[in-house]
Amino acid sequence: MTQPSQEVEQRDTEGGTPQAVPGTPHRRRAMTVLTSAQMLYYFGISIDLTLTGLAGLRLAPVPALATLPFALISVGSWAATYPASRFMRSRGRKAGFLVGSGAALTGGITSVTALLTEQFVLFCFGIACIGVHQAFAGYYRYAAADMFPPEERGKAISTVLSGGVIAAVAGPFLATAVKDLGPVEFTGSYALVTVLALISLGVLSTLTAEDTEAAAAAPSGPQAAAEDAAPRTLGQIAKQPVFLAGVAGSCVGYFTMTSLMAAAPIAAVRAGHSVHDGAQVIQWHMVGMYATAFASGPLTRSIGAGRTLLIGAAVSALGAATALTGLSHTHFMIALGLIGVGWNLMYVSGSALVANSYRPRERSVVQGIGEVFTLGGSAVGALAAGPVLDALGWESMNAALLVPLAVSAVVTVAHLRAARPRAAAQRTDP
């Protein structure tokens, strides 16, 4: 029996050639690098999420365009996510992750230049580059998951996401603390985004191909037979209940979170609260998003990804229901905090389900398709938040979000029902 610290051989995930699988020391190093890169990414994105709306208002030719740069984070991420997957399939994950950090570097420099020269279009381009970085950074969790067997993938994903806890607490404060350090307001903050991107490039450059390309163990038994079977079409993969549940959970979780994250500060100000109160709501929302990572992985491993996803949908629904009960600062804080917790549970468990839906050689395509839907939900939520808030109001907007959460829960229940006979068959195998 192979010891955990030894390297075993398995087929390359794309080409079918033998490849070394990282033992425990490789995993530890890779997990440290990926978690650090995730933390740096979250620091940078928290600065953009905190200040981009205000910077956009400063530069926009008309107030109606002030939220366009904020929306371009999600739109740029959605547009780049499948090309990012294809790029990493041909060039490797390390190359892709470096390209993503390079996009953040470009975005930071461009944003500073745009603020100094008061060019709104240039600022939009710089923020869109941050979206490209988000697209590549979205694959950090899959790089971690692919190093572990199926039952440990949820924990690996949550470990990487836990790098966002510090960023969630410190990022918004850091963003405002340095915004006046440059000659023009906000240039100090976006200069910090540039520095964080440079550090990220240095951290990610320490990854090796073995860290990011290999999986945890050689396939055996039914898994090995499936790997040797005829390649499946995308339609066959997409029809799997496990894939549908994972994509629906991640997409709906992101859609709900992004919609309310974009709308809450505006709704809070309209309800008579200060801008500082609105920023505090977002801060605690982000704490809920990332602090939950310490629990979501162990929970997924303990009760399964499907049941964890149902809990996440229920917590998100509770957050939306809380928003229906009042407009006090406390109501906003609790509602957005619960939405953040629900997002993490849905995102981690949904990602784990997607990671369990593909064979090793299918991973790049399936991960790319999954990210298109996940980040598509984020983009739609960001773009629709303002118009929907204006049309329906805060309470009705939250009530409407209960519908997609219910749909996600139904799809997840269908997956659990479909998985039950297979689990029973595995228990009865000699």
Side-chain angles (χ1 to χ4, degrees):
M1 183 174 176
T2 304
Q3 297 299 317
S5 62
Q6 293 175 323
E7 293 184 343
V8 296
E9 294 289 316
Q10 82 161 33
R11 296 185 177 192
D12 182 87
T13 55
E14 307 296 346
T17 57
Q19 175 174 299
V21 177
T24 301
H26 292 276
R27 287 181 185 171
R28 288 174 180 168
R29 183 184 67 222
M31 289 296 290
T32 299
V33 171
L34 291 170
T35 303
S36 299
Q38 188 82 16
M39 181 182 67
L40 291 165
Y41 155 67
Y42 278 138
F43 260 120
I45 200 70
S46 68
I47 293 172
D48 283 284
L49 293 175
T50 302
L51 297 179
T52 293
L54 296 172
L57 183 62
R58 177 188 179 91
L59 295 177
V62 293
L65 294 177
T67 59
L68 177 60
F70 183 94
L72 286 176
I73 297 174
S74 295
V75 173
S77 181
W78 173 79
T81 187
Y82 191 70
S85 176
R86 295 292 299 269
F87 178 86
M88 288 187 285
R89 183 179 184 180
S90 61
R91 301 293 183 88
R93 277 177 167 156
K94 178 179 179 178
F97 294 160
L98 291 174
V99 168
S101 293
L105 178 63
T106 301
I109 293 172
T110 304
S111 298
V112 171
T113 304
L115 286 164
L116 291 173
T117 58
E118 298 185 349
Q119 296 185 54
F120 179 70
V121 173
L122 186 63
F123 184 69
C124 287
F125 173 77
I127 298 302
C129 289
I130 300 300
V132 174
H133 181 214
Q134 185 180 55
F136 281 94
Y139 292 97
Y140 294 160
R141 71 191 195 279
Y142 282 126
D146 286 341
M147 293 188 291
F148 291 84
E151 66 273 11
E152 297 183 18
R153 287 173 181 167
K155 183 177 180 181
I157 291 168
S158 68
T159 297
V160 170
L161 293 181
S162 69
V165 176
I166 298 175
V169 176
F173 288 114
L174 197 59
T176 55
V178 302
K179 70 182 182 67
D180 296 320
L181 292 183
V184 176
E185 188 180 25
F186 305 123
T187 53
S189 301
Y190 289 97
L192 179 57
V193 171
T194 305
V195 173
L196 291 168
L198 281 171
I199 298 173
S200 179
L201 282 169
V203 169
L204 289 167
S205 67
T206 65
L207 280 176
T208 66
E210 289 78 12
D211 291 335
T212 57
E213 301 303 326
S220 60
Q223 186 180 2
E227 184 63 14
D228 289 331
R232 296 182 297 178
T233 65
L234 187 58
Q236 290 173 317
I237 297 170
K239 288 178 182 178
Q240 298 175 101
V242 62
F243 176 81
L244 292 173
V247 168
S250 297
C251 177
V252 170
Y254 239 121
F255 172 76
T256 304
M257 180 274 292
T258 307
S259 297
L260 296 184
M261 187 179 189
I266 301 173
V269 171
R270 289 178 179 176
H273 302 293
S274 67
V275 174
H276 176 268
D277 289 339
Q280 191 176 42
V281 167
I282 296 302
Q283 182 189 10
W284 283 105
H285 169 68
M286 294 180 70
V287 171
M289 287 172 65
Y290 303 124
T292 310
F294 292 111
S296 54
L299 186 63
T300 298
R301 185 175 184 180
S302 175
I303 67 173
R307 291 180 179 84
T308 303
L309 205 161
L310 288 177
I311 293 174
V315 172
S316 293
L318 181 61
T322 300
L324 299 176
T325 62
L327 295 173
S328 71
H329 185 228
T330 301
H331 281 93
F332 277 102
M333 294 271 284
I334 294 174
L336 268 293
L338 289 171
I339 291 293
V341 172
W343 169 83
N344 186 283
L345 293 172
M346 296 182 75
Y347 186 53
V348 169
S349 57
S351 299
L353 290 174
V354 172
N356 290 337
S357 71
Y358 53 78
R359 300 167 186 167
R361 68 182 63 184
E362 298 166 344
R363 73 174 191 190
S364 294
V365 173
V366 177
Q367 288 174 2
I369 294 297
E371 286 297 276
V372 166
F373 283 100
T374 298
L375 295 178
S378 176
V380 172
L383 289 170
V388 171
L389 181 64
D390 288 337
L392 300 181
W394 176 246
E395 294 89 346
S396 296
M397 180 180 183
N398 279 273
L401 288 172
L402 295 174
V403 176
L405 289 169
V407 171
S408 173
V410 169
V411 175
T412 303
V413 169
H415 153 64
L416 291 173
R417 291 173 63 89
R420 195 175 301 161
R422 292 195 298 271
Q426 290 175 355
R427 287 195 297 269
T428 57
D429 282 343

